[in-house]
Amino acid sequence: MRVFIRLAALCCIAAIPLAAIAREQSLLEYGEQCAREIGEIPPFDCNDGTDIPITVDGKPPAQGDAPKLCDKPSLLHPTADAAGQCLPYSKILNLSRGNTQISAYCRRNALRADKDPLYDEVVVVAHHSGNGKTCWFQSRARANGIDASRVPPPSEKTPPSGHPSAVEFWTTPARIAAAKPTCIACHDAGPFIFSPYIGQVWDKIPTDPLGRYSNIGAAFSAYRPTTITTPGNACIGCHRIGSDQSCRVYIGLSAGRLSAPGNDAHANRYPLSHWMPTDNTMSEAQWNEANVRSVDALLACCKDKTHRSPNCTFTPVPASSNTR
């Protein structure tokens, strides 16, 4: 009996750290970790951001119009139509300082006035260009919109009177990580993605296309981004190519092989249909001569699930360090 009691006691003692490890990381714990290892996200007002332009056949929509198709739809959901993909007055903010890179995106899914404080989604990417660590934050869904006049830091325990707390405003990291595809599946080569939509305000986006990149927090730790290269490939001079959603959609979208949900006829014609390289001034024939072989090579590697092709190199993205 004494032996049984001792064994039971040992099991209980051993189970304590295992239970602690298995426990889901809270929003505040994740926010505090990100603040320590990347940098504090300051409070902000979405209306201080820069409008992301919406045009239809090269012209802004008329006041009060809510177009379903446009020249440069958002690609937040690149494989299916999404609410707000062509609505005006979504905004972007660059909250970066030093090596701490912070991009905030305030999204409209319902038509509202430019300076209406209500938004439908707020997302933040925080990245440290020195150590490569990256965090992801997304607001909780609200049926009638989110008051984004003061977006709280995800590590803030007590907000000013009359404002939502971080726990009320932000969803948990586990729920973000459980979404399919995950943030990291789309951001499979680095923390910040170019698209025709976001490219209109690219000067407001921090960039680190070839630096270290890893995702901290218990909910994201299992994901290890991998990149693809082929000999002499024209598509990898300025940035990496990831092997997840880049393979599934982004290579095809950027090279005119796929049509983005929300594209109007103007968007489906060259040159808007081919948005890599970003400074493209070539004719379509010149673009094909310069890039088609490279695109074909990458797409062939995307199909190489066993990584056996001698023409394809699969490399883990350089992971983070512990320096700041």
Side-chain angles (χ1 to χ4, degrees):
M1 183 65 177
R2 289 180 181 175
V3 172
F4 174 78
I5 292 172
R6 287 175 182 171
L7 287 173
L10 286 172
C11 287
C12 289
I13 292 169
I16 291 171
L18 291 175
I21 292 170
R23 183 178 62 82
E24 180 181 307
Q25 188 178 30
S26 72
L27 181 278
L28 286 177
E29 289 169 339
Y30 181 57
E32 289 168 355
Q33 180 185 5
C34 296
R36 284 194 311 272
E37 300 183 29
I38 297 172
E40 188 78 41
I41 296 171
F44 61 91
D45 180 349
C46 277
N47 278 343
D48 289 337
T50 300
D51 283 345
I52 303 174
I54 292 293
T55 58
V56 178
D57 293 329
K59 299 176 182 178
Q63 188 75 25
D65 279 0
K68 301 294 185 183
L69 304 177
C70 57
D71 299 338
K72 298 177 180 180
S74 74
L75 294 180
L76 195 62
H77 302 281
T79 60
D81 287 318
Q85 63 192 3
C86 289
L87 285 183
Y89 308 133
S90 290
K91 294 178 175 61
I92 202 82
L93 295 91
N94 186 351
L95 306 174
S96 305
R97 61 191 183 279
N99 285 338
T100 299
Q101 299 182 318
I102 303 171
S103 181
Y105 173 40
C106 303
R107 180 178 172 88
R108 307 273 196 193
N109 291 337
L111 186 63
R112 297 186 175 92
D114 184 15
K115 293 300 183 180
D116 192 313
L118 295 181
Y119 288 78
D120 298 286
E121 188 175 10
V122 179
V123 294
V124 169
V125 181
H127 172 73
H128 194 280
S129 60
N131 63 33
K133 296 179 181 181
T134 307
C135 284
W136 309 89
F137 297 96
Q138 181 179 21
S139 58
R140 292 180 180 272
R142 296 284 188 273
N144 297 315
I146 304 160
D147 185 343
S149 57
R150 186 191 185 272
V151 177
S155 58
E156 184 179 73
K157 294 180 180 177
T158 306
S161 178
H163 294 280
S165 68
V167 171
E168 292 169 323
F169 190 91
W170 300 106
T171 193
T172 64
R175 292 195 67 178
I176 297 173
K180 301 299 180 186
T182 65
C183 301
I184 308 162
C186 290
H187 297 250
D188 58 0
F192 308 106
I193 302 178
F194 180 91
S195 71
Y197 175 74
I198 210 71
Q200 299 174 103
V201 289
W202 198 240
D203 61 325
K204 306 297 182 183
I205 305 292
T207 58
D208 188 21
L210 298 172
R212 293 177 180 271
Y213 173 48
S214 64
N215 301 279
I216 62 174
F220 303 98
S221 60
Y223 194 90
R224 298 287 187 271
T226 299
T227 62
I228 302 171
T229 59
T230 66
N233 199 286
C235 301
I236 58 174
C238 301
H239 57 83
R240 296 182 287 243
I241 299 289
S243 62
D244 199 314
Q245 292 297 300
S246 289
C247 275
R248 186 180 179 198
V249 289
Y250 289 116
I251 296 173
L253 288 173
S254 67
R257 305 288 180 91
L258 298 174
S259 175
N263 272 8
D264 61 13
H266 191 48
N268 285 329
R269 290 194 298 268
Y270 189 87
L272 289 188
S273 57
H274 295 58
W275 38 271
M276 283 290 168
T278 59
D279 58 351
N280 177 29
T281 59
M282 294 179 279
S283 69
E284 188 170 3
Q286 290 170 328
W287 191 98
N288 289 337
E289 178 64 26
N291 297 296
V292 162
R293 285 187 293 274
S294 291
V295 172
D296 288 342
L298 289 171
L299 291 175
C301 291
C302 289
K303 297 176 182 177
D304 179 18
K305 303 303 182 184
T306 59
H307 297 186
R308 292 181 178 178
S309 171
N311 297 319
C312 305
T313 301
F314 297 86
T315 308
V317 174
S320 60
S321 70
N322 290 321
T323 60
R324 267 197 63 181

